[in-house]
Amino acid sequence: MRKLAVILAVLLLLDVGGAAPQKKYVALTFDDGPTGKYTERLLDILAAENVPATFFLCGYRVGQYPALTARLAREGHELGLHGLAHSYFSELTQSALSEELTKESFLIAEAAGVAPKLVRPPGGKLPQDIAPLKDLSVILWSVDPLDWATDDEALIVRRILKAVRPGDIILMHDASDSSVNAAAEIIRQLKAQGYTFVTVSNLAAACGAVLEPGAVYHRFGG
Ligand code: NI
């Protein structure tokens, strides 16, 4: 009888203490690509690390690199819109912006066979009227290491590590060796801290959020 009580007590303890600690999720995002050799090297790193990322593409570069755009989708990365030619959405008329987004969606669908549901306005500058974005979720960011403005990869890594929390969206650019090297280091270090990398849509889902069209997001979770 005492044995049974002990077993029951152990089972109760297991039940109480057995819940897995909540996983730490984070999303790496890369803007302005695809850029040829930098994107290729980044994709090799992401594949080796088994890390899915989210790419906010420029339409004119999709036109330049359709095969690389196809590779992005094929390797499990999420694709989003970043405008045709990196114009600030705030400086386009409503009809010009709608036309850009339609054209870019077509280019990405043609190259990679996917229909983007996410958009990131260049510079994070939203248009006055977000009607042209009503069918897309607007994804900004919560960690910005300003990687485009420096070639000091250690600085980029430090800035990210200092700021990052679970649920964050990290903004980077696959447009220089220093950014790609910093991304590789960030992946190693955050994995060591117990982080799991997911696409933006999967980050939202993992944090219990539903991505609504026409809504603006900086990060997910508390
Ligand atoms: Ni950009």
Side-chain angles (χ1 to χ4, degrees), residues 31-32 82 86 122 173:
D31 288 11
D32 301 356
H82 197 51
H86 210 266
H173 299 78

Side-chain angles (χ1 to χ4, degrees), residues 50-197:
N50 199 20
V51 162
T54 303
F55 289 81
F56 291 95
L57 305 175
C58 284
Y60 78 98
R61 290 192 187 274
V62 172
Q64 264 178 295
Y65 298 107
L68 198 46
T69 305
R71 183 180 167 196
L72 287 168
R74 195 170 62 240
E75 298 190 356
H77 305 295
E78 185 164 26
L79 307 188
L81 306 174
H82 197 51
L84 267 188
H86 210 266
S87 307
Y88 287 145
F89 291 1
S90 52
E91 292 170 8
L92 297 172
T93 63
Q94 225 186 86
S95 61
L97 177 55
S98 293
E99 201 180 314
E100 276 219 10
L101 296 174
T102 304
K103 276 189 187 162
E104 196 192 359
S105 294
F106 177 79
L107 283 170
I108 291 175
E110 197 179 40
V114 295
K117 294 187 169 55
L118 310 179
V119 63
R120 173 175 284 162
K125 293 179 192 297
L126 290 163
Q128 292 262 329
D129 183 344
I130 69 157
L133 309 180
K134 68 182 186 335
D135 297 327
L136 300 157
S137 297
V138 180
I139 307 298
L140 300 180
W141 55 84
S142 50
V143 177
D144 180 3
L146 301 171
D147 62 315
W148 55 271
T150 178
D151 59 5
D152 183 344
E153 55 204 56
L155 176 64
I156 300 169
V157 169
R158 275 201 309 278
R159 283 172 173 167
I160 294 172
L161 290 179
K162 198 173 157 194
V164 72
R165 291 178 297 149
D168 270 331
I169 299 171
I170 302 171
L171 166 62
M172 297 188 80
H173 299 78
D174 47 327
S176 68
D177 277 323
S178 50
S179 287
V180 173
N181 293 339
E185 186 59 24
I186 279 302
I187 288 167
R188 279 191 289 271
Q189 297 221 23
L190 291 185
K191 274 186 171 179
Q193 289 184 26
Y195 277 91
T196 300
F197 291 90

